[in-house]
């Protein structure tokens, strides 16, 4: 049995995790096997997400005064919390993928993305977005493409001048011969 001090430390640690969360998903499960639980935890770890099963009373208290406060009423029944401090898209992709593959044992309750409460449909829409890294690489490609076009246009003038001068020289050689 935990002492009052240990319970307070657990509460403070959970509240700190909730404060740092950029995105959170509350999920529920029933009849989940150890293998499925390990599979879910592995997928979430790969996405850079923390995942834990929480006591509802503790989670409701920890949510007070944090970004997860709007979700406090959803801490009922069997509840697990997946938290991301950086990439809500990665979290959404991992949860949506596992929910689709294991609908009979795993269910989505509610989510929070950058302060906005989201439902499963919105999570699936977020999951279909490209990741942050993909968006950055596409943006850099677009910026680079414009620079390449500019260089091509700038190089065209001297190249075309050289071609015209070569043609004039060739015509003079033909006329002189």
């Amino acid at each position: 049995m935990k002492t009052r001090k240990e319970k307070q430390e657990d509460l403070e640690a959970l509240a700190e995790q909730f404060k740092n969360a950029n995105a959170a998903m509350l999920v529920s499960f029933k009849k989940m096997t150890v293998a499925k639980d390990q599979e879910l935890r592995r997928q979430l770890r790969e996405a850079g997400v923390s995942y834990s099963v929480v006591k509802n009373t503790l989670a409701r208290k920890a949510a007070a005064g944090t970004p997860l406060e709007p979700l406090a009423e959803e801490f009922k029944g069997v509840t697990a919390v997946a938290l991301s401090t950086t990439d809500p898209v990665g979290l959404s992709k991992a949860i949506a993928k596992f929910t689709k593959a294991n609908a009979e044992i795993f269910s989505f309750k509610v989510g929070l993305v950058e302060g906005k409460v989201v439902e499963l449909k919105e999570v699936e829409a977020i999951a279909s977005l490209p990741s942050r890294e993909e968006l950055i690489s596409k943006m850099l490609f677009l910026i680079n493409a414009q620079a390449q076009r500019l260089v091509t246009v700038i190089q065209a003038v001297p190249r075309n001048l050289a071609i015209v001068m070569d043609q004039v020289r060739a015509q003079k050689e033909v006329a002189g011969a």
Side-chain angles (χ1 to χ4, degrees):
M1 183 107 173
K2 288 188 175 185
T3 66
R4 187 168 188 79
K5 183 180 178 185
E6 290 173 331
K7 289 180 182 179
Q8 186 62 32
E9 289 172 358
D10 290 347
L11 177 65
E12 290 169 2
L14 190 58
E16 188 64 29
Q17 286 180 342
F18 286 178
K19 284 178 190 172
N20 296 331
N22 186 20
M25 304 288 166
L26 301 185
V27 294
S28 182
F29 53 88
K30 57 184 176 201
K31 299 179 185 175
M32 185 181 278
T33 63
V34 172
K36 286 290 183 185
D37 185 53
Q38 288 175 340
E39 177 185 343
L40 171 63
R41 288 176 188 271
R42 182 183 47 76
Q43 287 177 4
L44 291 174
R45 235 185 339 269
E46 288 172 0
V49 175
S50 67
Y51 173 82
S52 60
V53 178
V54 294
K55 289 190 172 192
N56 293 325
T57 306
L58 179 68
R60 275 194 294 273
K61 288 180 181 179
T66 67
L68 270 70
E69 194 167 11
L71 307 181
E73 294 303 314
E74 297 296 328
F75 288 105
K76 298 175 187 167
V78 178
T79 306
V81 181
L83 300 169
S84 174
T85 56
T86 56
D87 186 19
V89 176
L91 170 60
S92 299
K93 284 183 179 186
I95 293 293
K97 179 181 174 185
F98 196 80
T99 302
K100 282 182 185 176
N102 301 288
E104 67 283 351
I105 59 171
F106 192 76
S107 63
F108 176 83
K109 286 184 173 184
V110 68
L112 185 82
V113 177
E114 295 181 353
K116 183 179 181 261
V117 178
V118 293
E119 298 298 322
L120 183 58
K121 286 183 257 179
E122 294 166 301
V123 170
E124 290 172 346
I126 293 169
S128 67
L129 294 172
S131 70
R132 184 173 187 268
E133 289 77 20
E134 290 175 74
L135 289 173
I136 290 171
S137 68
K138 286 180 181 182
M139 187 67 145
L140 291 175
F141 172 78
L142 291 174
I143 292 169
N144 191 30
Q146 297 304 320
Q148 286 178 334
R149 287 181 184 164
L150 180 64
V151 167
T152 303
V153 169
I154 290 172
Q155 288 177 342
V157 173
R159 184 185 61 229
N160 290 344
L161 179 63
I163 290 171
V164 169
M165 288 175 60
D166 188 50
Q167 289 175 347
V168 168
R169 183 194 49 79
Q171 284 179 345
K172 286 185 178 180
E173 284 179 358
V174 170

